[in-house]
Amino acid sequence: MVLASASAVFAQEAQRQGKTDYILAVSWQPGFCETRPKRKECAAQAGAQRDATHFSLHGLWPMKKSYCGVAADIKARDRKGGWTELPQLAMTTETAARLQVAMPGTQSGLDRHQWLRSGTCYGGTADHYFQTQLRFLDELNGSAVQALFSGRIGREVTEAEVKQAFDVGFGEGAGERVRMRCEKAGARNVITGLTIGLSGDVSGAAGLSGLVLAAGRTDFKCPRGVVDAAGIQ
């Protein structure tokens, strides 16, 4: 009994002192589009689309690394925007097709930007980089977190509710590794997305739960926000 108690204390301490290796960024696309209506991916957003009720992919960011091995001229082009003019990525037809659904921002070249800025520091191919993110996104969209958001469309969620949903879906303490992004849209504070800390080998078969719980804690930032519905309000 003493050994079991000591192990629990050790695990809790490890969680408190965890170091974040990666950030998984996901968007709540209706809120994102509410604040950026001129983006290509926002012009045709509708309630029947998957991104109206599920999280969308934004990126997987290695901490404190960017543009690994990227030529200076390509890096300069990326930083100026106009991402659709950047070099196309080498991906299988299957991965590219899945990414177009999971990452609406591909219409603006977001996938090319994310690969140059962050994927080049990932240590693998573009195909594997995005396959990894698609796997994580599927886990998130199959969890209590997505259920909470889809059930609150048009209404607010609070910090406590989001953290609890993460704890239910990915283990106690997971909610302490999440930050919610919100922006003002008129008088409303709308949720535009989440950033989730990860730590460990993300390139293997590890699930989100262990990777999230191994990461360091973070401030939640946005105490409450509206889960926006598709279409400009």
Side-chain angles (χ1 to χ4, degrees):
M1 192 73 174
V2 173
L3 286 175
S5 176
S7 296
V9 170
F10 179 81
Q12 291 172 358
E13 185 62 22
Q15 283 190 22
R16 281 195 290 270
Q17 297 181 0
K19 177 189 174 187
T20 301
D21 296 327
Y22 292 87
I23 296 294
L24 175 66
V26 297
S27 298
W28 185 256
Q29 200 68 11
F32 175 89
C33 287
E34 186 73 32
T35 57
R36 298 165 180 81
K38 294 183 179 179
R39 294 288 291 262
K40 291 181 181 179
E41 61 268 31
C42 296
Q45 202 205 26
Q49 295 174 192
R50 183 172 175 81
D51 61 35
T53 55
H54 292 72
F55 291 103
S56 298
L57 189 60
H58 188 84
L60 180 65
W61 310 331
M63 295 294 288
K64 299 180 181 180
K65 294 180 182 179
S66 62
Y67 297 106
C68 297
V70 176
D73 61 326
I74 299 294
K75 181 177 176 180
R77 285 170 58 190
D78 179 68
R79 286 182 161 173
K80 287 181 180 178
W83 297 333
T84 55
E85 299 176 6
L86 294 169
Q88 291 189 354
L89 303 180
M91 287 186 284
T92 65
T93 301
E94 179 185 0
T95 302
R98 289 184 63 200
L99 197 61
Q100 286 178 4
V101 175
M103 180 188 266
T106 55
Q107 297 175 55
S108 297
L110 178 62
D111 52 335
R112 303 182 195 191
H113 165 67
Q114 290 295 334
W115 168 251
L116 288 173
R117 189 176 68 86
S118 301
T120 52
C121 303
Y122 170 76
T125 64
D127 195 77
H128 193 268
Y129 172 66
F130 287 109
Q131 281 185 9
T132 297
Q133 295 175 69
L134 288 165
R135 178 166 58 84
F136 291 156
L137 186 68
D138 284 346
E139 278 197 68
L140 181 64
N141 277 328
S143 75
V145 182
Q146 187 276 334
L148 170 65
F149 274 65
S150 63
R152 289 290 186 85
I153 291 175
R155 295 179 290 159
E156 280 191 338
V157 294
T158 67
E159 175 178 350
E161 290 171 327
V162 177
K163 285 183 174 180
Q164 182 183 31
F166 267 94
D167 286 358
V168 169
F170 302 105
E172 186 176 354
E176 298 297 329
R177 277 84 186 157
V178 177
R179 178 172 290 181
M180 191 159 77
R181 305 195 311 271
C182 301
E183 295 181 31
K184 283 290 185 182
R188 299 181 307 144
N189 197 40
V190 299
I191 300 164
T192 59
L194 304 170
T195 52
I196 306 162
L198 307 177
S199 189
D201 183 7
V202 298
S203 65
L208 273 182
S209 180
L211 294 169
V212 171
L213 292 174
R217 294 173 182 263
T218 189
D219 295 330
F220 197 76
K221 292 295 184 181
C222 177
R224 61 176 61 240
V226 174
V227 183
D228 206 21
I232 305 304
Q233 306 299 307

